[in-house]
Amino acid sequence: MKSPYVAVAPTELQKSTEELAYQLLNWVLVNETADGLLVGRIVECEMYQGPDDRGAHSYGGKPTDRTRVMYGSPGYAYVYLIYGMYYCLNVVTEAEGVPHAILVRALEPLHGLDTMKRNRMLKTTRNTAELTSGPGKLCQAFGIDRRHYGHPLWASPLYLAHALTPWPSFQVARGPRINIAYAGEARQYPWRFWVYNNPHVSKPTNSVTTLEQALPDPFWG
DNA sequence: ATATAGATGTACT
DNA sequence: GTACATCTATATT
């Protein structure tokens, strides 16, 4: 499948978890499927930093069948099943042995909206803002499931890529992560990042800890 | 607008 | 057995 998008280089995925979380908001997610090219701008993500982060699946530091990929090299997909029905996509970060990852929580759909709608099978048809405004929604829209577990996210068919042109300047909001009530102190860490005022964010009204101007993607010079 | 229940498979954080 | 990095359908302000 032909795609005008330039996949990121593996070396671009070797930044620290925090740097990469910021960087993701400059990038897009691409899936080259049999039903066409699916593309969305990443507008929301959360970082999980085991083994000390009580919110992380890697809390405690003991690899399991599910979490093993988090302990490997950066840039691979950690995909897991949640509530028996939905998948969530993470980008593994940091060197081997450091089980960090970034959960991709929302996208702004750019190409392949018709396929996304079909994949989502909504009874009540609503606006496109609901196509990929959540970690389970975006995986369903993009056809991401356990087959993508361990997939290198710089390679076809599923990869991170640079935008075709730089985004207009935007602000990055940071705040507490969603739905980790069990995580004790860690629940308040401002480890959620999103494009401020973007309509495709999953929980736009959640509290903002900091707001700052986005750094441009170094890719554009 | 907000609130609630229910679906469903896997890990036990 | 229980909790889960979720979402939808239905019901009520």
Side-chain angles (χ1 to χ4, degrees):
Chain A
M1 157 123 10
K2 200 147 175 198
S3 160
Y5 287 88
V6 179
V8 301
T11 52
E12 292 178 276
L13 299 166
Q14 291 169 7
K15 305 171 195 298
S16 75
T17 306
E18 185 158 348
E19 283 179 291
L20 196 57
Y22 277 100
Q23 191 58 250
L24 285 187
L25 301 181
N26 284 316
W27 291 351
V28 298
L29 181 69
V30 178
N31 196 9
E32 299 171 353
T33 76
D35 293 329
L37 186 67
L38 306 180
V39 184
R41 178 190 180 182
I42 300 168
V43 295
E44 180 185 352
C45 62
E46 287 176 353
M47 52 181 186
Y48 288 86
Q49 307 191 87
D52 299 323
D53 174 8
R54 289 184 66 184
H57 290 163
S58 53
Y59 177 63
K62 198 174 62 219
T64 66
D65 283 347
R66 180 175 62 153
T67 61
R68 184 175 307 110
V69 73
M70 289 183 78
Y71 293 81
S73 305
Y76 290 84
Y78 168 43
V79 178
Y80 66 91
L81 179 67
I82 185 74
Y83 297 105
M85 320 177 80
Y86 297 101
Y87 291 94
C88 293
L89 170 70
N90 294 250
V91 182
V92 171
T93 62
E94 302 288 351
E96 207 169 324
V98 181
H100 291 196
I102 302 171
L103 170 66
V104 180
R105 282 196 58 89
L107 304 172
E108 174 177 337
L110 298 177
H111 295 297
L113 297 252
D114 291 343
T115 298
M116 294 185 203
K117 263 176 205 153
R118 259 198 318 279
N119 289 347
R120 292 269 292 126
M121 300 176 301
L122 276 188
K123 273 189 182 165
T124 57
T125 308
R126 283 174 271 195
N127 47 3
T128 64
E130 312 222 348
L131 234 34
T132 52
S133 58
K137 294 177 186 176
L138 94 243
C139 283
Q140 195 173 54
F142 271 59
I144 295 167
D145 59 33
R146 53 185 0 111
R147 298 190 311 261
H148 301 280
Y149 184 95
H151 176 81
L153 288 170
W154 59 86
S156 183
L158 181 67
Y159 54 93
L160 300 164
H162 297 282
L164 259 20
T165 60
W167 308 118
S169 86
F170 62 96
Q171 287 181 300
V172 178
R174 291 184 62 157
R177 294 171 292 179
I178 305 297
N179 285 354
I180 52 160
Y182 54 87
E185 296 279 305
R187 63 187 284 170
Q188 2 176 13
Y189 299 167
W191 288 0
R192 173 173 179 243
F193 302 74
W194 69 98
V195 175
Y196 193 60
N197 281 342
N198 185 288
H200 301 85
V201 166
S202 69
K203 299 266 194 318
T205 57
N206 253 64
S207 68
V208 176
T209 307
T210 65
L211 197 55
E212 51 198 296
Q213 198 60 32
L215 302 170
D217 185 346
F219 176 77
W220 301 105

PDB file of all heavy atoms in Angstrom, chain A residues 140-173:
ATOM      1  N   GLN A 140     -10.205   0.160  17.843  1.00  0.00           N
ATOM      2  CA  GLN A 140     -11.292  -0.405  17.057  1.00  0.00           C
ATOM      3  C   GLN A 140     -11.343   0.237  15.670  1.00  0.00           C
ATOM      4  O   GLN A 140     -11.433  -0.456  14.656  1.00  0.00           O
ATOM      5  CB  GLN A 140     -12.619  -0.171  17.789  1.00  0.00           C
ATOM      6  CG  GLN A 140     -13.765  -0.993  17.271  1.00  0.00           C
ATOM      7  CD  GLN A 140     -14.994  -0.843  18.143  1.00  0.00           C
ATOM      8  OE1 GLN A 140     -15.461   0.265  18.404  1.00  0.00           O
ATOM      9  NE2 GLN A 140     -15.519  -1.962  18.615  1.00  0.00           N
ATOM     10  N   ALA A 141     -11.234   1.553  15.607  1.00  0.00           N
ATOM     11  CA  ALA A 141     -11.295   2.261  14.325  1.00  0.00           C
ATOM     12  C   ALA A 141     -10.137   1.863  13.410  1.00  0.00           C
ATOM     13  O   ALA A 141     -10.303   1.762  12.196  1.00  0.00           O
ATOM     14  CB  ALA A 141     -11.280   3.775  14.565  1.00  0.00           C
ATOM     15  N   PHE A 142      -8.966   1.628  13.994  1.00  0.00           N
ATOM     16  CA  PHE A 142      -7.768   1.311  13.216  1.00  0.00           C
ATOM     17  C   PHE A 142      -7.567  -0.188  13.020  1.00  0.00           C
ATOM     18  O   PHE A 142      -6.621  -0.602  12.347  1.00  0.00           O
ATOM     19  CB  PHE A 142      -6.518   1.915  13.885  1.00  0.00           C
ATOM     20  CG  PHE A 142      -6.207   3.317  13.444  1.00  0.00           C
ATOM     21  CD1 PHE A 142      -7.131   4.331  13.614  1.00  0.00           C
ATOM     22  CD2 PHE A 142      -4.992   3.626  12.849  1.00  0.00           C
ATOM     23  CE1 PHE A 142      -6.854   5.631  13.204  1.00  0.00           C
ATOM     24  CE2 PHE A 142      -4.711   4.917  12.429  1.00  0.00           C
ATOM     25  CZ  PHE A 142      -5.639   5.924  12.609  1.00  0.00           C
ATOM     26  N   GLY A 143      -8.427  -1.008  13.601  1.00  0.00           N
ATOM     27  CA  GLY A 143      -8.266  -2.449  13.467  1.00  0.00           C
ATOM     28  C   GLY A 143      -7.044  -2.982  14.193  1.00  0.00           C
ATOM     29  O   GLY A 143      -6.438  -3.968  13.761  1.00  0.00           O
ATOM     30  N   ILE A 144      -6.706  -2.361  15.302  1.00  0.00           N
ATOM     31  CA  ILE A 144      -5.545  -2.794  16.092  1.00  0.00           C
ATOM     32  C   ILE A 144      -5.998  -3.813  17.129  1.00  0.00           C
ATOM     33  O   ILE A 144      -6.973  -3.581  17.844  1.00  0.00           O
ATOM     34  CB  ILE A 144      -4.880  -1.580  16.773  1.00  0.00           C
ATOM     35  CG1 ILE A 144      -4.305  -0.623  15.726  1.00  0.00           C
ATOM     36  CG2 ILE A 144      -3.804  -2.035  17.759  1.00  0.00           C
ATOM     37  CD1 ILE A 144      -3.910   0.731  16.270  1.00  0.00           C
ATOM     38  N   ASP A 145      -5.308  -4.956  17.181  1.00  0.00           N
ATOM     39  CA  ASP A 145      -5.630  -5.974  18.175  1.00  0.00           C
ATOM     40  C   ASP A 145      -4.363  -6.751  18.545  1.00  0.00           C
ATOM     41  O   ASP A 145      -3.253  -6.310  18.254  1.00  0.00           O
ATOM     42  CB  ASP A 145      -6.744  -6.907  17.687  1.00  0.00           C
ATOM     43  CG  ASP A 145      -6.365  -7.614  16.402  1.00  0.00           C
ATOM     44  OD1 ASP A 145      -5.171  -7.912  16.214  1.00  0.00           O
ATOM     45  OD2 ASP A 145      -7.257  -7.875  15.564  1.00  0.00           O
ATOM     46  N   ARG A 146      -4.531  -7.914  19.151  1.00  0.00           N
ATOM     47  CA  ARG A 146      -3.378  -8.653  19.689  1.00  0.00           C
ATOM     48  C   ARG A 146      -2.370  -9.034  18.614  1.00  0.00           C
ATOM     49  O   ARG A 146      -1.213  -9.299  18.922  1.00  0.00           O
ATOM     50  CB  ARG A 146      -3.848  -9.897  20.450  1.00  0.00           C
ATOM     51  CG  ARG A 146      -4.761 -10.744  19.630  1.00  0.00           C
ATOM     52  CD  ARG A 146      -5.364 -11.955  20.373  1.00  0.00           C
ATOM     53  NE  ARG A 146      -4.965 -12.116  21.749  1.00  0.00           N
ATOM     54  CZ  ARG A 146      -5.773 -11.944  22.788  1.00  0.00           C
ATOM     55  NH1 ARG A 146      -7.026 -11.616  22.592  1.00  0.00           N
ATOM     56  NH2 ARG A 146      -5.340 -12.132  24.000  1.00  0.00           N
ATOM     57  N   ARG A 147      -2.773  -9.074  17.368  1.00  0.00           N
ATOM     58  CA  ARG A 147      -1.827  -9.377  16.292  1.00  0.00           C
ATOM     59  C   ARG A 147      -0.717  -8.333  16.227  1.00  0.00           C
ATOM     60  O   ARG A 147       0.353  -8.582  15.684  1.00  0.00           O
ATOM     61  CB  ARG A 147      -2.540  -9.428  14.943  1.00  0.00           C
ATOM     62  CG  ARG A 147      -3.607 -10.495  14.798  1.00  0.00           C
ATOM     63  CD  ARG A 147      -4.050 -10.606  13.340  1.00  0.00           C
ATOM     64  NE  ARG A 147      -4.356  -9.281  12.774  1.00  0.00           N
ATOM     65  CZ  ARG A 147      -5.581  -8.768  12.654  1.00  0.00           C
ATOM     66  NH1 ARG A 147      -6.617  -9.455  13.050  1.00  0.00           N
ATOM     67  NH2 ARG A 147      -5.767  -7.587  12.125  1.00  0.00           N
ATOM     68  N   HIS A 148      -0.984  -7.158  16.750  1.00  0.00           N
ATOM     69  CA  HIS A 148       0.006  -6.087  16.683  1.00  0.00           C
ATOM     70  C   HIS A 148       0.912  -6.061  17.902  1.00  0.00           C
ATOM     71  O   HIS A 148       1.793  -5.211  17.992  1.00  0.00           O
ATOM     72  CB  HIS A 148      -0.701  -4.746  16.518  1.00  0.00           C
ATOM     73  CG  HIS A 148      -1.560  -4.670  15.292  1.00  0.00           C
ATOM     74  ND1 HIS A 148      -1.059  -4.426  14.037  1.00  0.00           N
ATOM     75  CD2 HIS A 148      -2.887  -4.848  15.131  1.00  0.00           C
ATOM     76  CE1 HIS A 148      -2.051  -4.439  13.154  1.00  0.00           C
ATOM     77  NE2 HIS A 148      -3.167  -4.693  13.792  1.00  0.00           N
ATOM     78  N   TYR A 149       0.680  -6.978  18.833  1.00  0.00           N
ATOM     79  CA  TYR A 149       1.540  -7.043  20.020  1.00  0.00           C
ATOM     80  C   TYR A 149       2.988  -7.254  19.574  1.00  0.00           C
ATOM     81  O   TYR A 149       3.290  -8.183  18.823  1.00  0.00           O
ATOM     82  CB  TYR A 149       1.096  -8.186  20.931  1.00  0.00           C
ATOM     83  CG  TYR A 149       1.881  -8.256  22.234  1.00  0.00           C
ATOM     84  CD1 TYR A 149       1.394  -7.648  23.387  1.00  0.00           C
ATOM     85  CD2 TYR A 149       3.102  -8.917  22.297  1.00  0.00           C
ATOM     86  CE1 TYR A 149       2.104  -7.694  24.574  1.00  0.00           C
ATOM     87  CE2 TYR A 149       3.825  -8.963  23.480  1.00  0.00           C
ATOM     88  CZ  TYR A 149       3.321  -8.346  24.617  1.00  0.00           C
ATOM     89  OH  TYR A 149       4.033  -8.399  25.786  1.00  0.00           O
ATOM     90  N   GLY A 150       3.894  -6.388  20.014  1.00  0.00           N
ATOM     91  CA  GLY A 150       5.307  -6.533  19.684  1.00  0.00           C
ATOM     92  C   GLY A 150       5.704  -6.018  18.317  1.00  0.00           C
ATOM     93  O   GLY A 150       6.864  -6.134  17.920  1.00  0.00           O
ATOM     94  N   HIS A 151       4.752  -5.431  17.592  1.00  0.00           N
ATOM     95  CA  HIS A 151       5.078  -4.906  16.259  1.00  0.00           C
ATOM     96  C   HIS A 151       5.973  -3.668  16.373  1.00  0.00           C
ATOM     97  O   HIS A 151       5.709  -2.797  17.197  1.00  0.00           O
ATOM     98  CB  HIS A 151       3.786  -4.570  15.511  1.00  0.00           C
ATOM     99  CG  HIS A 151       4.033  -3.943  14.169  1.00  0.00           C
ATOM    100  ND1 HIS A 151       4.349  -4.669  13.050  1.00  0.00           N
ATOM    101  CD2 HIS A 151       4.029  -2.637  13.785  1.00  0.00           C
ATOM    102  CE1 HIS A 151       4.526  -3.848  12.031  1.00  0.00           C
ATOM    103  NE2 HIS A 151       4.338  -2.619  12.442  1.00  0.00           N
ATOM    104  N   PRO A 152       7.027  -3.565  15.541  1.00  0.00           N
ATOM    105  CA  PRO A 152       7.881  -2.370  15.560  1.00  0.00           C
ATOM    106  C   PRO A 152       7.152  -1.182  14.939  1.00  0.00           C
ATOM    107  O   PRO A 152       6.734  -1.255  13.787  1.00  0.00           O
ATOM    108  CB  PRO A 152       9.093  -2.785  14.712  1.00  0.00           C
ATOM    109  CG  PRO A 152       8.612  -3.903  13.862  1.00  0.00           C
ATOM    110  CD  PRO A 152       7.500  -4.599  14.605  1.00  0.00           C
ATOM    111  N   LEU A 153       7.024  -0.119  15.711  1.00  0.00           N
ATOM    112  CA  LEU A 153       6.164   0.990  15.295  1.00  0.00           C
ATOM    113  C   LEU A 153       6.848   1.987  14.370  1.00  0.00           C
ATOM    114  O   LEU A 153       6.438   3.142  14.284  1.00  0.00           O
ATOM    115  CB  LEU A 153       5.595   1.693  16.538  1.00  0.00           C
ATOM    116  CG  LEU A 153       4.536   0.849  17.261  1.00  0.00           C
ATOM    117  CD1 LEU A 153       4.178   1.449  18.613  1.00  0.00           C
ATOM    118  CD2 LEU A 153       3.287   0.691  16.397  1.00  0.00           C
ATOM    119  N   TRP A 154       7.878   1.513  13.667  1.00  0.00           N
ATOM    120  CA  TRP A 154       8.478   2.327  12.605  1.00  0.00           C
ATOM    121  C   TRP A 154       8.325   1.603  11.259  1.00  0.00           C
ATOM    122  O   TRP A 154       8.863   2.011  10.257  1.00  0.00           O
ATOM    123  CB  TRP A 154       9.964   2.585  12.898  1.00  0.00           C
ATOM    124  CG  TRP A 154      10.788   1.329  13.025  1.00  0.00           C
ATOM    125  CD1 TRP A 154      11.372   0.636  12.003  1.00  0.00           C
ATOM    126  CD2 TRP A 154      11.098   0.609  14.218  1.00  0.00           C
ATOM    127  NE1 TRP A 154      12.020  -0.471  12.484  1.00  0.00           N
ATOM    128  CE2 TRP A 154      11.873  -0.513  13.851  1.00  0.00           C
ATOM    129  CE3 TRP A 154      10.793   0.797  15.586  1.00  0.00           C
ATOM    130  CZ2 TRP A 154      12.343  -1.447  14.788  1.00  0.00           C
ATOM    131  CZ3 TRP A 154      11.270  -0.119  16.494  1.00  0.00           C
ATOM    132  CH2 TRP A 154      12.039  -1.220  16.097  1.00  0.00           C
ATOM    133  N   ALA A 155       7.583   0.493  11.251  1.00  0.00           N
ATOM    134  CA  ALA A 155       7.521  -0.364  10.067  1.00  0.00           C
ATOM    135  C   ALA A 155       6.079  -0.608   9.627  1.00  0.00           C
ATOM    136  O   ALA A 155       5.165  -0.679  10.453  1.00  0.00           O
ATOM    137  CB  ALA A 155       8.205  -1.702  10.359  1.00  0.00           C
ATOM    138  N   SER A 156       5.902  -0.770   8.321  1.00  0.00           N
ATOM    139  CA  SER A 156       4.603  -1.111   7.751  1.00  0.00           C
ATOM    140  C   SER A 156       4.114  -2.432   8.347  1.00  0.00           C
ATOM    141  O   SER A 156       4.937  -3.311   8.615  1.00  0.00           O
ATOM    142  CB  SER A 156       4.764  -1.240   6.234  1.00  0.00           C
ATOM    143  OG  SER A 156       3.535  -1.501   5.637  1.00  0.00           O
ATOM    144  N   PRO A 157       2.828  -2.606   8.567  1.00  0.00           N
ATOM    145  CA  PRO A 157       1.749  -1.693   8.192  1.00  0.00           C
ATOM    146  C   PRO A 157       1.393  -0.652   9.243  1.00  0.00           C
ATOM    147  O   PRO A 157       0.714   0.313   8.920  1.00  0.00           O
ATOM    148  CB  PRO A 157       0.561  -2.644   8.016  1.00  0.00           C
ATOM    149  CG  PRO A 157       0.799  -3.716   9.025  1.00  0.00           C
ATOM    150  CD  PRO A 157       2.293  -3.895   9.088  1.00  0.00           C
ATOM    151  N   LEU A 158       1.820  -0.835  10.485  1.00  0.00           N
ATOM    152  CA  LEU A 158       1.391   0.072  11.561  1.00  0.00           C
ATOM    153  C   LEU A 158       2.590   0.849  12.069  1.00  0.00           C
ATOM    154  O   LEU A 158       3.525   0.256  12.616  1.00  0.00           O
ATOM    155  CB  LEU A 158       0.757  -0.742  12.691  1.00  0.00           C
ATOM    156  CG  LEU A 158       0.228   0.045  13.893  1.00  0.00           C
ATOM    157  CD1 LEU A 158      -0.961   0.918  13.514  1.00  0.00           C
ATOM    158  CD2 LEU A 158      -0.145  -0.898  15.033  1.00  0.00           C
ATOM    159  N   TYR A 159       2.567   2.156  11.907  1.00  0.00           N
ATOM    160  CA  TYR A 159       3.759   2.916  12.297  1.00  0.00           C
ATOM    161  C   TYR A 159       3.441   4.367  12.665  1.00  0.00           C
ATOM    162  O   TYR A 159       2.417   4.919  12.282  1.00  0.00           O
ATOM    163  CB  TYR A 159       4.812   2.886  11.182  1.00  0.00           C
ATOM    164  CG  TYR A 159       4.330   3.331   9.832  1.00  0.00           C
ATOM    165  CD1 TYR A 159       4.460   4.658   9.438  1.00  0.00           C
ATOM    166  CD2 TYR A 159       3.750   2.417   8.939  1.00  0.00           C
ATOM    167  CE1 TYR A 159       4.024   5.061   8.185  1.00  0.00           C
ATOM    168  CE2 TYR A 159       3.322   2.821   7.691  1.00  0.00           C
ATOM    169  CZ  TYR A 159       3.456   4.133   7.311  1.00  0.00           C
ATOM    170  OH  TYR A 159       3.019   4.538   6.076  1.00  0.00           O
ATOM    171  N   LEU A 160       4.369   4.940  13.415  1.00  0.00           N
ATOM    172  CA  LEU A 160       4.351   6.362  13.729  1.00  0.00           C
ATOM    173  C   LEU A 160       5.029   7.091  12.581  1.00  0.00           C
ATOM    174  O   LEU A 160       6.007   6.591  12.018  1.00  0.00           O
ATOM    175  CB  LEU A 160       5.099   6.619  15.036  1.00  0.00           C
ATOM    176  CG  LEU A 160       4.518   5.897  16.256  1.00  0.00           C
ATOM    177  CD1 LEU A 160       5.515   5.866  17.408  1.00  0.00           C
ATOM    178  CD2 LEU A 160       3.225   6.571  16.689  1.00  0.00           C
ATOM    179  N   ALA A 161       4.523   8.260  12.252  1.00  0.00           N
ATOM    180  CA  ALA A 161       5.071   8.988  11.113  1.00  0.00           C
ATOM    181  C   ALA A 161       5.015  10.485  11.379  1.00  0.00           C
ATOM    182  O   ALA A 161       4.255  10.954  12.226  1.00  0.00           O
ATOM    183  CB  ALA A 161       4.289   8.661   9.853  1.00  0.00           C
ATOM    184  N   HIS A 162       5.837  11.197  10.624  1.00  0.00           N
ATOM    185  CA  HIS A 162       5.815  12.652  10.699  1.00  0.00           C
ATOM    186  C   HIS A 162       4.595  13.188   9.977  1.00  0.00           C
ATOM    187  O   HIS A 162       4.110  12.583   9.023  1.00  0.00           O
ATOM    188  CB  HIS A 162       7.094  13.221  10.076  1.00  0.00           C
ATOM    189  CG  HIS A 162       8.322  12.813  10.820  1.00  0.00           C
ATOM    190  ND1 HIS A 162       8.712  13.407  11.993  1.00  0.00           N
ATOM    191  CD2 HIS A 162       9.227  11.833  10.581  1.00  0.00           C
ATOM    192  CE1 HIS A 162       9.809  12.832  12.440  1.00  0.00           C
ATOM    193  NE2 HIS A 162      10.158  11.869  11.602  1.00  0.00           N
ATOM    194  N   ALA A 163       4.117  14.315  10.424  1.00  0.00           N
ATOM    195  CA  ALA A 163       3.022  14.978   9.727  1.00  0.00           C
ATOM    196  C   ALA A 163       3.492  15.382   8.328  1.00  0.00           C
ATOM    197  O   ALA A 163       4.691  15.490   8.076  1.00  0.00           O
ATOM    198  CB  ALA A 163       2.565  16.194  10.515  1.00  0.00           C
ATOM    199  N   LEU A 164       2.551  15.566   7.416  1.00  0.00           N
ATOM    200  CA  LEU A 164       2.905  15.987   6.060  1.00  0.00           C
ATOM    201  C   LEU A 164       3.472  17.401   6.064  1.00  0.00           C
ATOM    202  O   LEU A 164       4.384  17.726   5.300  1.00  0.00           O
ATOM    203  CB  LEU A 164       1.663  15.911   5.170  1.00  0.00           C
ATOM    204  CG  LEU A 164       1.506  14.704   4.225  1.00  0.00           C
ATOM    205  CD1 LEU A 164       2.356  13.506   4.621  1.00  0.00           C
ATOM    206  CD2 LEU A 164       0.048  14.311   4.102  1.00  0.00           C
ATOM    207  N   THR A 165       2.889  18.229   6.907  1.00  0.00           N
ATOM    208  CA  THR A 165       3.406  19.582   7.135  1.00  0.00           C
ATOM    209  C   THR A 165       3.291  19.841   8.634  1.00  0.00           C
ATOM    210  O   THR A 165       2.478  19.207   9.291  1.00  0.00           O
ATOM    211  CB  THR A 165       2.577  20.643   6.383  1.00  0.00           C
ATOM    212  OG1 THR A 165       1.225  20.579   6.866  1.00  0.00           O
ATOM    213  CG2 THR A 165       2.578  20.394   4.881  1.00  0.00           C
ATOM    214  N   PRO A 166       4.097  20.781   9.171  1.00  0.00           N
ATOM    215  CA  PRO A 166       4.003  21.029  10.616  1.00  0.00           C
ATOM    216  C   PRO A 166       2.603  21.494  11.007  1.00  0.00           C
ATOM    217  O   PRO A 166       1.934  22.169  10.226  1.00  0.00           O
ATOM    218  CB  PRO A 166       5.027  22.142  10.842  1.00  0.00           C
ATOM    219  CG  PRO A 166       5.896  22.155   9.639  1.00  0.00           C
ATOM    220  CD  PRO A 166       5.072  21.629   8.504  1.00  0.00           C
ATOM    221  N   TRP A 167       2.152  21.137  12.207  1.00  0.00           N
ATOM    222  CA  TRP A 167       0.854  21.612  12.683  1.00  0.00           C
ATOM    223  C   TRP A 167       0.942  23.098  12.978  1.00  0.00           C
ATOM    224  O   TRP A 167       2.007  23.604  13.366  1.00  0.00           O
ATOM    225  CB  TRP A 167       0.444  20.877  13.968  1.00  0.00           C
ATOM    226  CG  TRP A 167       0.505  19.400  13.861  1.00  0.00           C
ATOM    227  CD1 TRP A 167       1.300  18.569  14.603  1.00  0.00           C
ATOM    228  CD2 TRP A 167      -0.250  18.564  12.986  1.00  0.00           C
ATOM    229  NE1 TRP A 167       1.089  17.263  14.233  1.00  0.00           N
ATOM    230  CE2 TRP A 167       0.138  17.223  13.242  1.00  0.00           C
ATOM    231  CE3 TRP A 167      -1.208  18.795  12.013  1.00  0.00           C
ATOM    232  CZ2 TRP A 167      -0.389  16.133  12.559  1.00  0.00           C
ATOM    233  CZ3 TRP A 167      -1.741  17.715  11.330  1.00  0.00           C
ATOM    234  CH2 TRP A 167      -1.335  16.419  11.598  1.00  0.00           C
ATOM    235  N   PRO A 168      -0.167  23.786  12.840  1.00  0.00           N
ATOM    236  CA  PRO A 168      -0.209  25.160  13.357  1.00  0.00           C
ATOM    237  C   PRO A 168       0.143  25.128  14.844  1.00  0.00           C
ATOM    238  O   PRO A 168      -0.106  24.118  15.500  1.00  0.00           O
ATOM    239  CB  PRO A 168      -1.672  25.563  13.158  1.00  0.00           C
ATOM    240  CG  PRO A 168      -2.217  24.619  12.132  1.00  0.00           C
ATOM    241  CD  PRO A 168      -1.440  23.356  12.252  1.00  0.00           C
ATOM    242  N   SER A 169       0.708  26.198  15.357  1.00  0.00           N
ATOM    243  CA  SER A 169       1.188  26.174  16.738  1.00  0.00           C
ATOM    244  C   SER A 169       0.048  25.806  17.683  1.00  0.00           C
ATOM    245  O   SER A 169      -1.106  26.186  17.461  1.00  0.00           O
ATOM    246  CB  SER A 169       1.789  27.523  17.105  1.00  0.00           C
ATOM    247  OG  SER A 169       0.786  28.397  17.549  1.00  0.00           O
ATOM    248  N   PHE A 170       0.378  25.041  18.711  1.00  0.00           N
ATOM    249  CA  PHE A 170      -0.654  24.589  19.642  1.00  0.00           C
ATOM    250  C   PHE A 170      -0.071  24.516  21.042  1.00  0.00           C
ATOM    251  O   PHE A 170       1.146  24.596  21.231  1.00  0.00           O
ATOM    252  CB  PHE A 170      -1.207  23.226  19.212  1.00  0.00           C
ATOM    253  CG  PHE A 170      -0.184  22.113  19.190  1.00  0.00           C
ATOM    254  CD1 PHE A 170      -0.046  21.251  20.273  1.00  0.00           C
ATOM    255  CD2 PHE A 170       0.648  21.925  18.076  1.00  0.00           C
ATOM    256  CE1 PHE A 170       0.892  20.226  20.250  1.00  0.00           C
ATOM    257  CE2 PHE A 170       1.585  20.894  18.042  1.00  0.00           C
ATOM    258  CZ  PHE A 170       1.708  20.044  19.133  1.00  0.00           C
ATOM    259  N   GLN A 171      -0.946  24.351  22.025  1.00  0.00           N
ATOM    260  CA  GLN A 171      -0.518  24.236  23.412  1.00  0.00           C
ATOM    261  C   GLN A 171      -0.658  22.802  23.884  1.00  0.00           C
ATOM    262  O   GLN A 171      -1.611  22.105  23.509  1.00  0.00           O
ATOM    263  CB  GLN A 171      -1.363  25.152  24.295  1.00  0.00           C
ATOM    264  CG  GLN A 171      -1.033  26.621  24.114  1.00  0.00           C
ATOM    265  CD  GLN A 171      -1.887  27.478  25.030  1.00  0.00           C
ATOM    266  OE1 GLN A 171      -3.115  27.453  24.946  1.00  0.00           O
ATOM    267  NE2 GLN A 171      -1.237  28.222  25.914  1.00  0.00           N
ATOM    268  N   VAL A 172       0.284  22.373  24.711  1.00  0.00           N
ATOM    269  CA  VAL A 172       0.240  21.048  25.312  1.00  0.00           C
ATOM    270  C   VAL A 172      -0.243  21.180  26.747  1.00  0.00           C
ATOM    271  O   VAL A 172       0.351  21.920  27.542  1.00  0.00           O
ATOM    272  CB  VAL A 172       1.624  20.382  25.306  1.00  0.00           C
ATOM    273  CG1 VAL A 172       1.555  19.024  25.992  1.00  0.00           C
ATOM    274  CG2 VAL A 172       2.142  20.235  23.889  1.00  0.00           C
ATOM    275  N   ALA A 173      -1.326  20.498  27.065  1.00  0.00           N
ATOM    276  CA  ALA A 173      -1.820  20.448  28.438  1.00  0.00           C
ATOM    277  C   ALA A 173      -1.308  19.179  29.097  1.00  0.00           C
ATOM    278  O   ALA A 173      -1.175  18.141  28.431  1.00  0.00           O
ATOM    279  CB  ALA A 173      -3.341  20.481  28.459  1.00  0.00           C
TER     280      ALA A 173
END
